[in-house]
């Protein structure tokens, strides 16, 4: 039963000509599938609707070839041939009583046109945003009229596809409608440039065009960034307040946030739940129309507070809806402790950035709804009364045990340490990573609800222990450890002076409380978050810290998770020195020999300690021993042995959780063949998207 405190979250809300059944709004978010994988995209959005979201939105939807976003895979409505893919999504969403929303966009100078080869368009002549060696040309008045026509026609196509809400997009520094607002991008001297009234003109026209075209049956939403944190060159809060005042009653819904994307979807390391409130709380005081906003909301109490205090009318979520598509339903059913809370790691963002299907650390089924038929709440029952022994209770082992228990297997989970969580527990103690403990907490909570899972702490098992245990299936999730010899991406061998040097530390040492003092060099050959977290931790303890990396930038992979700018800012604020394109050649205990990776010039760098953030080694000794004793399996009753997660191949926490879930899903199930998931095959007929491919009879 629902707690009455949360009743307000389940009151309907009228948005123009349509009505949302509750206050949960999945705002537009990218997913790496888009127009290229419409069946997978539709299934993912359907899961959100099934989970209780009142509104389920697309990602950016290209309206014309001159706004082509290749290589990124977004939605597309260039012409009528694109309608079936989005119609499929609408049908799936509507089947669960939710509204479907479409975010129309033309990205102007932030597009690429690598596929279409059209010339980029912009308010004024300017370089393309993302480093492509090209420029956008200034739009003529004819171009502006054409852009308005493209947007109007795309809105009509969206209506034909079955969309209930059509967005006008003026956010994230990713649309012409916003670019015309920005002084740094709009340097026109005609009626579309100069004064704020002139810079708002195009946005007003497009809003009115859209309402005229589809407003009889579709609500028109405006997604608007109230602040860019760039100073006078960007949209500033004071100016945003004027803009909202000018357009207050024109859209049917205001969707407000920060720009750019890295300021909107800030990782949890750098922003807490509801962090956008100071930048958006004025909107609802300015308009009578409903307002939706985001803040990585996971707490129902925080959601209620947002509504009751008049900050928002609807709770907007992207990342929390990815971590738990059933978040609204769980609140409605009084299952608050079953919510799989977002940890703010932004691995979901990396799908779009790497042009691959979306994934999630907390929710391993995300992106696999159609490909593998995985559902976030349902799983096939066990095939036999077999018992399963899971060795290791890190993210892979916890997820394997939980999902196996959900299937009904008798599971024994053995952990060598006196606490559960493995690397998650240890990493969550590092600066800014506390919310990552949610990976452990949710799984432990679910395990404790299942009577068929037995947990054994302080239980380091030998190969003989495993054989004597009597389980038919054994899965080893024993984790990994960091190398301290310097071997990594840039070093194919150990660095002279690292091996057995007491002044060489690893992230494991830091997590175990063995900390250096004095002047410390963090040698980051990993390229993601570990190096900067280690540097921050030591600097906060009073060490003088140098962050040194063979890469040409600090933490380059963090660009895929929107961490990069925040990492660099944090390092600058803390006074952490950054040295890029530098490799370590040797260490004598007090002096590093450092080599420039391009010129090969060498110099010496004095320090008291080095943190080697390089590569990891699987802790697979138990697995290897059991493989050597395979002849004994049958007598011991062991039918299968697997090694998963970091013990198989060290990776992200998301990889470990996925590995555990996959093992549980596939145990005793028929093999799917060489390709273990469905793929999209394009046909000559767009209508084929509406049905599954049919097998042909042999000729």
């Amino acid at each position: 039963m629902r707690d009455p405190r949360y009743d307000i979250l389940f009151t309907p809300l009228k948005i123009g000509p349509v009505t949302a059944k509750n206050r949960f709004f999945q705002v537009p978010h990218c997913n790496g599938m888009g127009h290229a994988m419409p069946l997978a995209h539709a299934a993912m959005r359907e899961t959100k609707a099934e989970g209780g979201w009142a509104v389920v939105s697309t990602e950016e939807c290209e309206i014309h070839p001159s706004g082509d976003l290749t290589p990124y895979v977004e939605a597309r409505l260039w012409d009528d041939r694109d309608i079936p893919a989005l119609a499929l999504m609408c049908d799936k969403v509507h089947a669960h009583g939710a509204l479907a929303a479409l975010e129309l966009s033309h990205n102007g100078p932030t597009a690429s046109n690598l596929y279409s080869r059209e010339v980029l368009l912009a308010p004024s002549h300017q370089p393309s945003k993302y480093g492509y060696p090209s420029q956008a040309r200034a739009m003529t008045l004819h171009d502006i009229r054409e852009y308005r026509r493209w947007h109007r026609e795309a809105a009509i196509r969206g209506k034909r596809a079955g969309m209930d809400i059509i967005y006008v997009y003026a956010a994230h520094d990713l649309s012409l409608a916003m670019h015309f607002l920005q002084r740094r991008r709009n340097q026109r001297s005609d009626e579309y440039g100069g004064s704020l009234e002139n810079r708002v003109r195009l946005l007003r026209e497009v809003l009115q065009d859209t309402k005229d075209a589809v407003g009889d049956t579709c609500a028109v939403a405006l997604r608007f960034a109230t602040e860019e944190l760039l100073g006078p060159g960007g949209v500033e809060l004071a100016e945003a307040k004027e803009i909202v005042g000018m357009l207050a009653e024109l859209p049917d819904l205001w969707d407000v946030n920060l720009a750019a994307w890295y300021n909107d979807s800030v990782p949890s390391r750098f922003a807490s739940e509801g962090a956008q409130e100071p930048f958006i709380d004025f909107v609802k005081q300015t308009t009578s129309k409903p307002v939706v906003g985001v803040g990585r909301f996971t707490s129902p109490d925080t959601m209620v507070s947002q509504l009751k205090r008049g900050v928002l009318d609807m709770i907007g979520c992207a990342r929390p809806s990815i971590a738990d598509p059933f978040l609204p339903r769980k609140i409605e059913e009084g299952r608050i402790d079953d919510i799989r809370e977002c940890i703010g790691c932004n691995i979901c963002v990396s799908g779009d950035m790497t042009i691959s299907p979306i994934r999630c650390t907390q929710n391993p089924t995300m992106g696999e709804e159609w490909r593998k038929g995985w559902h976030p709440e349902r799983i096939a029952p066990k095939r036999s009364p077999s018992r399963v022994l899971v060795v290791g209770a890190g993210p892979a082992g916890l997820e394997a045990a939980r999902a196996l228990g959900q299937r009904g297997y008798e599971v024994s989970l053995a952990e060598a340490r006196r606490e559960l969580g493995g690397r998650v527990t240890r990493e969550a103690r590092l600066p800014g990573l506390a919310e990552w403990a949610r990976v452990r907490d949710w799984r432990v909570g679910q395990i404790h609800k299942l009577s068929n899972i037995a947990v054994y702490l302080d239980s380091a098992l030998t190969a003989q222990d495993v054989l004597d245990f009597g389980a038919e299936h054994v899965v080893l999730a024993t984790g990994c450890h960091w190398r301290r010899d310097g071997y990594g991406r840039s070093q194919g061998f150990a660095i002279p002076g690292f091996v057995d040097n007491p002044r060489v530390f690893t992230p494991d040492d830091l997590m175990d409380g063995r900390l250096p003092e004095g002047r410390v060099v963090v040698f980051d050959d990993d390229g993601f978050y570990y190096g900067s977290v280690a540097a921050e931790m030591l600097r906060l303890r009073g060490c003088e810290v140098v962050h040194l990396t063979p890469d040409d930038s600090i933490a380059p992979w963090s660009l895929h998770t929107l961490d990069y700018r925040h990492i660099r800012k944090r390092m600058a604020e803390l006074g952490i020195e950054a040295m890029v394109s530098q490799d370590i050649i040797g260490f004598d205990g007090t002096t590093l020999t450092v080599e420039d990776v391009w010129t090969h010039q060498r110099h010496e760098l004095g320090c008291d300690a080095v943190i080697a953030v390089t590569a990891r080694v699987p802790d697979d000794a138990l697995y290897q021993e059991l493989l050597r004793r395979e002849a004994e399996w049958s007598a011991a009753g062991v039918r299968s042995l697997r090694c998963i997660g970091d013990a198989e191949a060290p990776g992200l926490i998301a990889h470990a959780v996925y590995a555990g879930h996959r093992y549980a899903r596939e145990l005793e199930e028929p093999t799917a063949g060489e390709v273990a998931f469905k793929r999209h095959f394009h046909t000559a007929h767009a209508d084929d998207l509406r049905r599954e491919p049919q097998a042909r009879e042999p000729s």
Side-chain angles (χ1 to χ4, degrees):
M1 293 289 292
R2 182 173 80 219
D3 189 319
R5 291 180 299 168
Y6 306 135
D7 286 350
I8 191 174
L9 295 171
F10 295 91
T11 55
L13 182 68
K14 187 171 177 60
I15 308 171
V18 300
T19 299
K21 65 182 179 180
N22 61 42
R23 303 303 179 94
F24 294 95
F25 195 117
Q26 180 249 281
V27 297
H29 72 75
C30 301
N31 54 87
M33 297 183 291
H35 70 268
M37 305 176 197
L39 294 165
H41 174 256
M44 181 267 289
R45 301 294 187 194
E46 179 184 17
T47 303
K48 308 280 192 80
E50 183 189 354
W53 297 87
V55 182
V56 178
S57 307
T58 66
E59 64 276 36
E60 289 180 274
C61 181
E62 305 167 5
I63 65 172
H64 190 264
S66 61
D68 164 35
L69 297 175
T70 304
Y72 302 104
V73 183
E74 316 298 346
R76 183 172 285 173
L77 269 179
W78 289 1
D79 60 27
D80 289 357
R81 290 170 292 184
D82 293 313
I83 293 176
L86 291 172
L88 177 64
M89 175 202 144
C90 289
D91 293 346
K92 298 288 189 182
V93 167
H94 289 158
H96 300 279
L99 302 176
L102 174 66
E103 183 179 66
L104 298 179
S105 182
H106 189 300
N107 286 51
T110 64
S112 71
N113 293 354
L114 293 176
Y115 177 59
S116 70
R117 302 188 69 174
E118 298 289 338
V119 175
L120 292 168
L121 301 175
S124 306
H125 293 295
Q126 57 196 270
S128 62
K129 179 178 179 179
Y130 291 110
Y132 300 112
S134 62
Q135 288 200 184
R137 68 172 176 84
M139 295 172 68
T140 64
L141 293 178
H142 173 76
D143 293 328
I144 290 173
R145 290 192 294 272
E146 285 292 277
Y147 163 66
R148 291 174 60 186
R149 179 177 67 84
W150 300 335
H151 198 282
R152 178 185 178 93
E153 291 179 353
I156 293 170
R157 291 187 186 104
K159 177 181 176 179
R160 289 170 55 195
M163 294 292 173
D164 306 286
I165 300 172
I166 306 295
Y167 266 92
V168 175
Y169 186 38
H172 300 127
D173 189 26
L174 291 177
S175 74
L176 280 173
M178 183 173 185
H179 298 151
F180 271 78
L181 299 176
Q182 300 163 318
R183 286 180 290 267
R184 71 181 186 281
R185 296 199 182 279
N186 183 350
Q187 298 171 7
R188 303 175 70 96
S189 58
D190 62 6
E191 64 266 40
Y192 289 97
S195 68
L196 181 60
E197 183 177 357
N198 282 353
R199 286 182 279 123
V200 172
R201 187 182 308 277
L202 181 61
L203 177 56
R204 184 193 299 275
E205 291 174 342
V206 173
L207 278 168
Q208 192 61 62
D209 291 343
T210 308
K211 295 202 72 170
D212 292 344
V214 301
D216 57 334
T217 56
C218 298
V220 175
L222 172 57
R223 200 175 200 190
F224 176 65
T226 64
E227 176 64 78
E228 291 189 89
L229 305 177
L230 293 175
V235 173
E236 295 182 280
L237 189 58
E239 196 170 69
K241 291 179 178 180
E242 292 187 60
I243 295 171
V244 174
M246 292 177 181
L247 305 175
E249 303 302 308
L250 187 52
D252 298 310
L253 173 78
W254 283 87
D255 179 343
V256 287
N257 56 27
L258 297 182
W261 192 10
Y262 52 79
N263 287 325
D264 183 20
S265 297
V266 182
S268 59
R269 183 180 166 190
F270 302 102
S272 58
E273 183 178 17
Q276 296 199 21
E277 181 175 331
F279 301 97
I280 63 173
D281 59 0
F282 73 93
V283 179
K284 191 165 159 50
Q285 312 306 315
T286 311
T287 177
S288 66
K289 300 300 177 72
V291 178
V292 63
V294 296
R296 201 169 52 82
F297 298 116
T298 59
S299 165
D301 294 302
T302 300
M303 299 175 191
V304 168
S305 174
Q306 292 283 306
L307 300 187
K308 287 188 173 181
R309 290 187 295 110
V311 180
L312 300 172
D313 294 294
M314 299 194 79
I315 302 300
C317 293
R319 290 172 291 174
S321 77
I322 296 165
D324 199 334
F326 275 64
L327 183 152
R329 181 173 289 190
K330 289 175 181 178
I331 298 174
E332 187 171 26
E333 295 174 354
R335 299 190 292 123
I336 305 300
D337 57 348
D338 287 337
I339 295 173
R340 199 165 39 241
E341 293 182 290
C342 172
I343 70 170
C345 67
N346 280 9
I347 293 303
C348 54
V349 175
S350 74
D352 184 59
M353 293 294 197
T354 58
I355 310 102
S356 56
I358 190 171
R359 61 211 59 200
C360 175
T361 298
Q362 276 281 60
N363 176 14
T365 70
M366 179 52 50
E368 303 291 354
E369 299 87 354
W370 178 80
R371 289 200 334 160
K372 290 191 171 183
W374 290 2
H375 191 278
E377 301 298 311
R378 297 191 294 271
I379 194 168
K382 65 181 183 181
R383 291 260 178 181
S384 77
S386 299
R387 295 162 296 174
V388 187
L389 172 62
V390 181
V391 183
L398 284 174
E399 177 61 17
R402 183 208 64 79
L404 287 165
Q406 186 184 0
R407 292 189 66 185
Y409 285 99
E410 180 183 335
V411 181
S412 298
L413 175 62
E415 167 56 42
R417 293 175 178 259
R418 296 182 178 181
E419 59 184 1
L420 300 172
R423 63 177 288 188
V424 168
T425 294
R426 301 172 75 224
E427 289 186 26
R429 297 175 180 140
L430 299 174
L433 304 187
E435 290 192 32
W436 293 25
R438 292 174 172 180
V439 173
R440 173 202 63 207
D441 294 344
W442 182 79
R443 286 162 179 81
V444 171
Q446 298 299 303
I447 286 170
H448 286 165
K449 293 182 179 184
L450 296 169
S451 60
N452 54 323
I453 304 178
V455 179
Y456 303 93
L457 295 174
D458 201 14
S459 299
L461 302 186
T462 65
Q464 191 60 50
D465 293 332
V466 172
L467 294 171
D468 291 342
F469 199 87
E472 287 86 350
H473 302 286
V474 178
V475 56
L476 305 179
T478 45
C480 66
H481 65 273
W482 286 91
R483 299 181 69 133
R484 64 177 64 248
D485 62 1
Y487 174 91
R489 287 190 178 89
S490 63
Q491 296 279 355
F493 303 94
I495 297 176
F498 269 40
V499 178
D500 298 325
N501 190 326
R503 295 195 175 190
V504 175
F505 297 75
T506 73
D508 288 321
D509 293 315
L510 303 187
M511 290 184 284
D512 291 337
R514 296 188 297 274
L515 304 174
E517 296 180 350
R519 178 174 169 84
V520 183
V521 173
V522 176
F523 178 52
D524 184 8
D525 201 16
D526 175 71
F528 194 20
Y529 62 91
Y530 289 101
S532 65
V533 169
E536 180 177 346
M537 178 183 184
L538 294 170
R539 186 71 184 109
L540 292 173
R541 289 183 56 85
C543 295
E544 181 183 352
V545 182
V546 177
H547 188 295
L548 184 147
T549 178
D551 288 306
D552 291 333
S553 62
I554 298 295
W557 210 83
S558 67
L559 285 166
H560 299 309
T561 54
L562 308 180
D563 287 88
Y564 179 78
R565 291 172 181 265
H566 304 289
I567 288 173
R568 294 307 306 265
K569 183 179 180 182
R570 178 70 56 81
M571 288 176 60
E573 291 171 344
L574 293 175
I576 297 170
E577 182 182 354
M579 296 180 64
V580 300
S581 307
Q582 303 293 313
D583 211 344
I584 296 177
I585 305 303
F587 183 44
D588 65 6
T590 59
T591 304
L592 288 166
T593 302
V594 177
E595 182 180 84
D596 186 286
V597 300
W598 300 114
T599 66
H600 302 296
Q601 291 183 341
R602 296 183 178 183
H603 67 276
E604 294 184 340
L605 183 65
C607 64
D608 299 300
V610 178
I611 312 296
V613 188
T614 55
R616 289 170 284 173
V617 179
D619 291 329
D620 64 349
L622 178 59
Y623 178 60
Q624 297 300 332
E625 176 66 15
L626 286 167
L627 288 178
R628 286 190 290 270
R629 298 176 66 175
E630 186 174 0
E632 303 174 49
W633 293 6
S634 180
V638 175
R639 290 166 47 198
S640 74
L641 172 71
R642 282 285 308 278
C643 183
I644 64 171
D646 287 345
E648 181 182 28
L652 301 174
I653 297 172
H655 295 134
V657 172
Y658 178 86
H661 192 82
R662 180 178 182 180
Y663 174 83
R665 287 266 184 184
E666 296 180 350
L667 182 65
E668 299 187 327
E669 294 295 313
T671 58
E674 293 293 334
V675 181
F677 50 86
K678 293 187 287 187
R679 293 178 290 164
H680 288 78
F681 291 95
H682 297 282
T683 69
H685 303 288
D687 286 343
D688 289 347
L689 290 171
R690 292 189 175 274
R691 63 178 187 270
E692 297 288 328
Q694 301 295 312
R696 289 187 177 181
E697 295 292 330
S699 56

